[in-house]
């Protein structure tokens, strides 16, 4: 296979999968990892992808870009599922939690419901959880889950995130102090966590301030991405649950901010 053809196929794989790994590409194309890295460097220079630790991801979106919920829900689905299952370790037998409108939070809600059903089927008592949320996807996933009580926040509905946002939502959040606040993000960098929309950011910020402990669920494709509005600085986050440990300098920024990084 000629280099141009191989590079075109690599670019297609990045677009389809959302992330590619240097080692896997070397095995798939029967070439050395050094050749893969040269291919990725050439593709990055051409604007076809962005290199990250161990591989490549699609080019970082514009600070205002916000894909639809459906598009984001299927993007990096395996990684989000693994993150959601890992996040179950944050739960205690009885606690209050908040879940925002992120797609990884929606995956976490499904994991909570699946675990609750499995525990009940095994004759075990389910956790007793009070879940405060602005997300219709979270509500859909947790409705009827054993041991889960849902408090639905009011506000203006944003179809792109399937969540309530705005002053009414923020006021309702401000009236709570949950044991654990769980949020998704569009970007995670040394400047903090960010999202494209001002109302969405203000709502996320309220969730951050309402949590005794704050956890961010983000796949590694979000590393070094920056959206328009920052809703929290790194030192406001207690735990980052992700699919792959961050490379330098992101790892040092998280360590300095005393953020615990948890991977599957």
């Amino acid at each position: 296979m000629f280099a141009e053809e191989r590079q075109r196929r690599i670019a297609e794989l990045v677009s389809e999968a959302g992330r590619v790994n240097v080692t896997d590409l070397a095995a798939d194309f029967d070439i050395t990892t050094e050749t893969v890295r040269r291919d990725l460097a050439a593709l990055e220079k051409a604007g076809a992808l962005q290199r990250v630790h161990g591989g490549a991801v699609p080019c970082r979106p514009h600070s205002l870009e916000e894909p639809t919920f459906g598009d984001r829900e299927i993007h990096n689905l395996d990684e989000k599922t693994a993150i959601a299952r890992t996040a179950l370790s944050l739960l205690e037998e009885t606690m209050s939690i908040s879940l925002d409108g992120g797609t990884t939070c929606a995956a976490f809600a499904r994991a909570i419901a699946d675990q609750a059903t499995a525990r009940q089927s095994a004759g075990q008592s389910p956790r007793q959880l009070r879940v405060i949320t602005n997300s219709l996807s979270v509500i859909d996933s947790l409705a009827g889950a054993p041991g889960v009580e849902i408090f639905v926040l009011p506000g203006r509905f944003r179809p792109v995130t399937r969540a309530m946002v705005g002053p009414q939502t923020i006021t309702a959040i401000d009236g709570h102090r949950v044991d654990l606040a769980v949020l998704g993000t569009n970007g995670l960098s040394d400047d903090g966590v960010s999202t494209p929309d001002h109302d969405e950011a203000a709502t996320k910020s309220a969730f951050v301030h309402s949590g005794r402990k704050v956890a961010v669920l983000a796949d590694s494709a979000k590393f070094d991405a920056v959206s328009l509005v920052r809703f929290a600085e790194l030192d406001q986050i207690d735990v980052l649950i992700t699919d792959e440990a961050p490379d330098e300098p992101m790892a040092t920024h998280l360590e300095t901010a005393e953020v615990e990084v948890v991977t599957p």
Side-chain angles (χ1 to χ4, degrees), residues 16-139:
E16 293 168 2
R19 186 181 183 92
V20 293
N21 179 276
V22 169
T23 304
D24 291 343
L25 290 175
D28 291 344
F29 290 99
D30 193 23
I31 56 178
T32 66
T33 55
E34 289 76 12
T35 300
V36 172
R37 291 189 178 93
R38 286 196 295 271
D39 284 345
L40 295 181
L43 288 165
E44 184 177 50
K45 186 176 181 179
L49 51 76
Q50 179 166 335
R51 287 183 295 170
V52 296
H53 173 63
V57 296
C59 291
R60 297 299 184 196
H62 188 274
S63 65
L64 292 176
E65 185 173 334
E66 190 171 17
T68 66
F69 187 93
D71 288 342
R72 288 183 290 114
E73 191 171 32
I74 62 175
H75 186 68
N76 288 349
L77 180 59
D78 290 343
E79 289 84 352
K80 290 177 180 179
T81 301
I83 290 168
R85 290 172 179 166
T86 302
L88 291 171
S89 64
L90 298 174
L91 300 180
E92 300 175 5
E93 290 304 303
T94 301
M95 72 185 311
S96 59
I97 66 174
S98 61
L99 287 172
D100 86 333
T103 54
T104 314
C105 286
F108 182 38
R110 292 192 294 273
I112 291 173
D114 290 344
Q115 186 184 67
T117 300
R119 287 179 62 154
Q120 186 179 62
S121 298
Q124 301 174 357
S125 298
R127 290 189 173 93
Q128 299 302 306
L129 302 177
R130 166 73 66 87
V131 177
I132 297 167
T133 187
N134 64 332
S135 167
L136 292 191
S137 296
V138 168
I139 296 166

Side-chain angles (χ1 to χ4, degrees), residues 246-264:
D247 198 6
E248 296 295 347
M250 192 71 241
T252 296
H253 293 313
L254 291 166
E255 183 178 1
T256 301
E258 298 184 350
V259 179
E260 179 186 3
V261 178
V262 180
T263 57

Side-chain angles (χ1 to χ4, degrees), residues 181-244:
V182 183
L183 301 98
T185 184
N186 295 77
L188 189 150
S189 70
D190 60 336
D191 194 47
V193 281
S194 55
T195 197
D197 182 80
H198 283 86
D199 283 347
E200 196 84 42
T203 303
K204 285 177 177 287
S205 183
F207 273 124
V208 170
H209 287 97
S210 74
R212 294 186 177 92
K213 183 175 185 178
V214 178
V216 169
L217 312 184
D219 62 78
S220 54
K222 306 289 179 59
F223 295 165
D224 299 318
V226 180
S227 287
L228 179 64
V229 191
R230 180 178 64 193
F231 62 86
E233 297 184 6
L234 290 182
D235 62 8
Q236 293 178 278
I237 302 169
D238 297 299
V239 183
L240 168 66
I241 300 185
T242 184
D243 59 294
E244 183 176 315

